[in-house]
Amino acid sequence: MILPVIARACVPLVAVALAVAPAAAAAAHPFGPPSTARIRAEGSQVTLAWLPAEDDWVAIGRSVGAFGDPAAGIDTTLTGEQRLARSAAVRDYLLGRIGVAQAGRPCAAELEPLERLLAEGARFSFECANPVAEVDVRIAALTDLHEAYRTVLTAETPATPAQAVLTAATDTQRLRFDPTARGGVSLVVPAVALVAALGALAALLVRRRRQGVRG
């Protein structure tokens, strides 16, 4: 996660970017450090946080018109981050380009509020039909603005592969999660073992009671 002090320093950068003359949406840094994404799986839910750089957020905002028309004047009562957070176009852009599918079927997506997008990124939760064992993760944000953009995807729940790079040419990665590390799934085996142990104990007690009665 980006440190809060860094995030606070980024806000003026966004504001400055809005004040200058309009530039092409891809004028951020497609050749700089990649965006990052962290993913976790628990039961039938997948959570994902996508964190691009602050100037890449500006590129997205410009591409969807989140900042309005500079020629008409800029409302200085809102920061660039606030304009991005309140933009329905930005939310539609993210939901249309970041997703998770299970067995070829999209998992229901929910995008959390973007109030702290510079520090926390875009945070998604995906509800799949079944407990998550294998899913396809797609991240196509920014690559539609410039093909050099890329995202490093890291699995925080043990998975294969543990890390992958998503690009314009390969924007989808299949992840196979370790069944012993998925919350809500690994409890099945201990539960079965507990039931079996209780059954054996009950049988033993019944047997001893019958022997005591015969004696």
Coordinates of all heavy atoms in Angstrom, one line a residue, residues 85-129:
A85 N -13.1 10.6 -7.7 CA -13.9 9.7 -6.8 C -15.4 9.9 -7.1 O -16.1 8.9 -6.9 CB -13.6 10.1 -5.4
R86 N -15.8 11.1 -7.5 CA -17.2 11.3 -7.7 C -17.7 11.1 -9.1 O -18.9 11.2 -9.4 CB -17.5 12.8 -7.3 CG -17.2 13.1 -5.9 CD -17.6 14.6 -5.5 NE -17.2 14.9 -4.2 CZ -17.5 16.0 -3.6 NH1 -18.2 16.9 -4.2 NH2 -17.1 16.3 -2.3
S87 N -16.8 10.7 -10.0 CA -17.1 10.5 -11.4 C -17.7 9.1 -11.7 O -17.1 8.1 -11.4 CB -15.9 10.7 -12.2 OG -16.1 10.4 -13.6
A88 N -18.9 9.1 -12.1 CA -19.6 7.8 -12.5 C -18.8 7.3 -13.7 O -18.8 6.0 -13.9 CB -21.0 8.1 -12.9
A89 N -18.3 8.1 -14.6 CA -17.5 7.6 -15.8 C -16.3 6.9 -15.4 O -15.9 5.9 -16.0 CB -17.2 8.8 -16.7
V90 N -15.6 7.3 -14.3 CA -14.4 6.6 -13.8 C -14.8 5.3 -13.3 O -14.2 4.3 -13.5 CB -13.7 7.5 -12.7 CG1 -12.6 6.6 -12.0 CG2 -13.1 8.7 -13.3
R91 N -15.9 5.2 -12.5 CA -16.3 3.9 -12.0 C -16.7 3.0 -13.1 O -16.4 1.8 -13.0 CB -17.5 4.1 -11.0 CG -17.2 4.9 -9.8 CD -18.4 5.1 -8.8 NE -18.8 3.7 -8.3 CZ -18.3 3.2 -7.2 NH1 -17.3 3.8 -6.6 NH2 -18.7 2.0 -6.8
D92 N -17.4 3.5 -14.1 CA -17.8 2.6 -15.2 C -16.6 2.1 -16.0 O -16.5 0.9 -16.4 CB -18.7 3.4 -16.2 CG -20.1 3.6 -15.6 OD1 -20.5 3.0 -14.6 OD2 -20.8 4.5 -16.1
Y93 N -15.6 3.0 -16.1 CA -14.3 2.6 -16.7 C -13.7 1.5 -16.0 O -13.2 0.5 -16.6 CB -13.4 3.8 -16.8 CG -12.0 3.5 -17.4 CD1 -11.8 3.7 -18.7 CD2 -11.0 3.1 -16.6 CE1 -10.5 3.4 -19.3 CE2 -9.7 2.8 -17.1 CZ -9.5 3.0 -18.4 OH -8.3 2.7 -19.0
L94 N -13.5 1.6 -14.7 CA -12.9 0.5 -13.9 C -13.7 -0.8 -13.9 O -13.1 -1.9 -14.1 CB -12.7 1.0 -12.5 CG -11.8 2.2 -12.3 CD1 -11.9 2.8 -10.9 CD2 -10.3 1.9 -12.6
L95 N -15.0 -0.7 -13.7 CA -15.8 -1.9 -13.7 C -15.8 -2.6 -15.1 O -16.0 -3.8 -15.1 CB -17.2 -1.6 -13.3 CG -17.4 -1.3 -11.8 CD1 -18.8 -0.6 -11.5 CD2 -17.2 -2.5 -10.9
G96 N -15.6 -1.8 -16.1 CA -15.6 -2.4 -17.5 C -14.3 -3.1 -17.9 O -14.2 -3.8 -18.8
R97 N -13.2 -2.8 -17.1 CA -11.9 -3.3 -17.5 C -11.2 -4.1 -16.4 O -10.1 -4.7 -16.7 CB -11.0 -2.1 -17.8 CG -11.4 -1.4 -19.1 CD -10.8 0.0 -19.3 NE -11.2 0.6 -20.5 CZ -12.4 1.1 -20.8 NH1 -13.4 1.1 -19.9 NH2 -12.7 1.6 -22.0
I98 N -11.8 -4.3 -15.3 CA -11.2 -5.1 -14.2 C -12.2 -6.1 -13.8 O -13.3 -5.7 -13.4 CB -10.7 -4.3 -13.0 CG1 -9.6 -3.3 -13.5 CG2 -10.1 -5.2 -11.9 CD1 -9.0 -2.4 -12.4
G99 N -11.9 -7.4 -13.9 CA -12.9 -8.4 -13.5 C -12.4 -9.7 -13.2 O -11.2 -10.0 -13.4
V100 N -13.2 -10.6 -12.6 CA -12.8 -11.9 -12.2 C -13.9 -12.9 -12.8 O -15.1 -12.6 -12.7 CB -12.7 -12.1 -10.7 CG1 -12.6 -13.6 -10.3 CG2 -11.6 -11.3 -10.2
A101 N -13.5 -14.0 -13.4 CA -14.5 -15.0 -13.9 C -14.1 -16.3 -13.3 O -13.0 -16.7 -13.1 CB -14.4 -15.0 -15.4
Q102 N -15.2 -17.1 -13.1 CA -15.0 -18.5 -12.6 C -15.7 -19.4 -13.6 O -16.9 -19.3 -13.9 CB -15.7 -18.6 -11.2 CG -15.5 -20.0 -10.6 CD -16.3 -20.0 -9.2 OE1 -17.5 -19.8 -9.2 NE2 -15.5 -20.3 -8.1
A103 N -15.0 -20.4 -14.1 CA -15.5 -21.3 -15.1 C -16.2 -20.6 -16.3 O -17.2 -21.0 -16.8 CB -16.5 -22.3 -14.4
G104 N -15.6 -19.5 -16.7 CA -16.1 -18.8 -17.8 C -17.2 -17.8 -17.5 O -17.7 -17.1 -18.4
R105 N -17.7 -17.8 -16.3 CA -18.8 -16.9 -15.9 C -18.3 -15.7 -15.0 O -17.6 -16.0 -14.0 CB -19.9 -17.7 -15.2 CG -20.5 -18.8 -16.0 CD -21.5 -19.5 -15.2 NE -22.6 -18.6 -14.9 CZ -23.7 -19.0 -14.1 NH1 -23.8 -20.3 -13.7 NH2 -24.7 -18.1 -13.9
P106 N -18.6 -14.5 -15.3 CA -18.1 -13.3 -14.5 C -18.7 -13.4 -13.1 O -19.8 -13.8 -12.9 CB -18.7 -12.1 -15.3 CG -19.0 -12.6 -16.7 CD -19.4 -14.0 -16.5
C107 N -17.8 -13.2 -12.1 CA -18.2 -13.1 -10.7 C -18.8 -11.7 -10.5 O -18.3 -10.7 -11.1 CB -17.1 -13.3 -9.8 SG -16.3 -14.9 -10.0
A108 N -19.9 -11.6 -9.8 CA -20.5 -10.3 -9.5 C -19.5 -9.3 -8.9 O -19.0 -9.6 -7.8 CB -21.7 -10.5 -8.6
A109 N -19.4 -8.1 -9.5 CA -18.4 -7.2 -9.1 C -19.0 -6.0 -8.3 O -20.1 -5.5 -8.6 CB -17.6 -6.6 -10.3
E110 N -18.3 -5.6 -7.3 CA -18.6 -4.4 -6.5 C -17.4 -3.5 -6.3 O -16.3 -4.0 -5.9 CB -19.2 -4.8 -5.2 CG -19.7 -3.5 -4.3 CD -20.3 -3.9 -3.0 OE1 -20.7 -5.1 -2.9 OE2 -20.5 -3.1 -2.2
L111 N -17.5 -2.3 -6.7 CA -16.4 -1.3 -6.5 C -16.6 -0.4 -5.3 O -17.6 0.2 -5.3 CB -16.2 -0.5 -7.8 CG -15.1 0.6 -7.8 CD1 -13.7 0.0 -7.5 CD2 -15.2 1.4 -9.1
E112 N -15.7 -0.5 -4.4 CA -15.9 0.4 -3.2 C -15.7 1.8 -3.5 O -15.1 2.2 -4.6 CB -14.9 -0.1 -2.1 CG -15.1 -1.5 -1.6 CD -14.1 -1.8 -0.4 OE1 -13.7 -0.9 0.2 OE2 -13.9 -3.0 -0.2
P113 N -16.2 2.7 -2.7 CA -16.0 4.2 -2.9 C -14.5 4.5 -3.1 O -13.6 3.9 -2.5 CB -16.5 4.8 -1.6 CG -17.5 3.8 -1.1 CD -17.0 2.5 -1.4
L114 N -14.3 5.5 -4.0 CA -12.9 5.9 -4.4 C -12.3 7.0 -3.6 O -11.4 7.7 -4.1 CB -12.9 6.2 -5.9 CG -13.3 5.0 -6.8 CD1 -13.4 5.5 -8.2 CD2 -12.3 3.9 -6.7
E115 N -12.9 7.4 -2.4 CA -12.4 8.5 -1.7 C -10.9 8.6 -1.5 O -10.3 9.6 -1.5 CB -13.1 8.7 -0.4 CG -14.5 9.3 -0.5 CD -15.6 8.3 -0.9 OE1 -15.2 7.1 -1.1 OE2 -16.8 8.6 -1.0
R116 N -10.3 7.4 -1.2 CA -8.8 7.4 -1.0 C -8.1 6.6 -2.1 O -7.2 5.8 -1.8 CB -8.6 6.7 0.4 CG -9.1 7.6 1.6 CD -8.9 6.8 2.9 NE -7.5 6.3 3.0 CZ -6.5 7.0 3.4 NH1 -6.6 8.3 3.7 NH2 -5.3 6.4 3.5
L117 N -8.4 7.0 -3.3 CA -7.9 6.2 -4.4 C -6.4 6.4 -4.6 O -5.7 5.5 -5.0 CB -8.6 6.6 -5.7 CG -8.6 8.0 -6.2 CD1 -7.3 8.3 -7.0 CD2 -9.8 8.3 -7.1
L118 N -5.8 7.5 -4.2 CA -4.4 7.7 -4.3 C -3.6 6.8 -3.3 O -2.5 6.3 -3.6 CB -4.0 9.1 -4.1 CG -4.4 10.1 -5.2 CD1 -3.9 11.5 -4.9 CD2 -3.9 9.7 -6.6
A119 N -4.2 6.6 -2.2 CA -3.5 5.8 -1.1 C -3.9 4.3 -1.2 O -3.1 3.4 -1.0 CB -3.9 6.3 0.3
E120 N -5.2 4.0 -1.6 CA -5.7 2.7 -1.5 C -6.0 2.1 -2.8 O -6.3 0.9 -2.9 CB -6.9 2.6 -0.6 CG -6.6 3.0 0.9 CD -7.8 3.1 1.7 OE1 -8.9 2.8 1.2 OE2 -7.7 3.4 2.9
G121 N -6.0 2.9 -3.9 CA -6.4 2.4 -5.2 C -7.8 2.1 -5.4 O -8.7 2.6 -4.6
A122 N -8.2 1.4 -6.4 CA -9.5 1.0 -6.7 C -9.7 -0.4 -6.0 O -9.0 -1.4 -6.4 CB -9.8 0.9 -8.2
R123 N -10.7 -0.5 -5.1 CA -10.8 -1.8 -4.3 C -12.1 -2.5 -4.8 O -13.2 -1.9 -4.7 CB -10.9 -1.4 -2.8 CG -9.5 -0.9 -2.3 CD -9.7 -0.2 -0.9 NE -10.5 1.0 -1.1 CZ -11.3 1.4 -0.1 NH1 -11.4 0.8 1.0 NH2 -12.0 2.5 -0.3
F124 N -12.0 -3.7 -5.2 CA -13.1 -4.5 -5.7 C -13.4 -5.7 -4.8 O -12.4 -6.2 -4.2 CB -12.8 -5.0 -7.1 CG -12.6 -4.0 -8.2 CD1 -11.3 -3.4 -8.3 CD2 -13.6 -3.7 -9.1 CE1 -11.1 -2.4 -9.3 CE2 -13.4 -2.7 -10.1 CZ -12.1 -2.1 -10.2
S125 N -14.6 -6.1 -4.8 CA -14.9 -7.4 -4.3 C -15.8 -8.1 -5.3 O -16.6 -7.5 -6.0 CB -15.7 -7.3 -3.0 OG -16.9 -6.6 -3.2
F126 N -15.5 -9.4 -5.5 CA -16.2 -10.2 -6.5 C -16.8 -11.4 -5.9 O -16.1 -12.2 -5.2 CB -15.2 -10.7 -7.6 CG -14.5 -9.6 -8.4 CD1 -13.3 -9.1 -7.9 CD2 -15.1 -9.0 -9.5 CE1 -12.7 -8.1 -8.6 CE2 -14.5 -8.0 -10.2 CZ -13.2 -7.5 -9.7
E127 N -18.1 -11.6 -6.0 CA -18.8 -12.8 -5.5 C -19.0 -13.8 -6.6 O -19.7 -13.6 -7.5 CB -20.1 -12.3 -4.9 CG -20.8 -13.4 -4.1 CD -20.0 -13.8 -2.8 OE1 -19.4 -12.9 -2.2 OE2 -20.0 -15.0 -2.5
C128 N -18.3 -15.0 -6.4 CA -18.4 -16.0 -7.4 C -19.5 -17.0 -7.0 O -19.9 -17.1 -5.8 CB -17.1 -16.7 -7.5 SG -15.7 -15.6 -8.0
A129 N -19.9 -17.9 -7.9 CA -21.0 -18.8 -7.7 C -20.6 -19.9 -6.7 O -21.4 -20.4 -6.0 CB -21.5 -19.4 -9.0

